[in-house]
Amino acid sequence: MDDEHNNDGKHQDLMQYIASSDENAGFIMHVNVTIEDEDYWAYLLVPMEKYDDFMAAQDDALCNIKDYGEIIEWGPGTDAPPHIR
């Protein structure tokens, strides 16, 4: 994460707060994927314990998002419809 969002350890404090608040805590992440030259958007629920691995995997050319969390919504294109957002 860039310095704009990691000022003086605030990011780490937030992560620790979320993790201690709920054992099932995680992040809902908007993800764009391309499968067989077709674009898709997805919302992925990434558990706390997989967050760092998921963020590191963003640099990989091939990444199976299901390895990092549960797909909670998805569809064709790059953006979710307004009623989903």
Side-chain angles (χ1 to χ4, degrees), residues 3-5 12-13 18 32-33 41 43-44 47 54 67-68 72 74-76:
D3 289 336
E4 177 183 330
H5 295 101
Q12 195 63 24
D13 291 344
I18 292 170
N32 288 328
V33 297
W41 60 267
Y43 284 109
L44 182 70
F54 173 74
D67 290 343
Y68 300 98
I72 53 177
W74 68 274

Side-chain angles (χ1 to χ4, degrees), residues 4 16 18 20 23 29 34 42 48 53 56 63-64 71 74 79 82 84:
E4 177 183 330
Q16 290 172 351
I18 292 170
S20 66
E23 66 185 43
M29 309 293 288
T34 302
M48 283 293 301
D53 291 337
C63 168
N64 186 346
I71 297 171
W74 68 274
D79 294 313
I84 301 289

Side-chain angles (χ1 to χ4, degrees), residues 4 8-9 12 21 30:
E4 177 183 330
D8 301 322
Q12 195 63 24
S21 297
H30 177 256

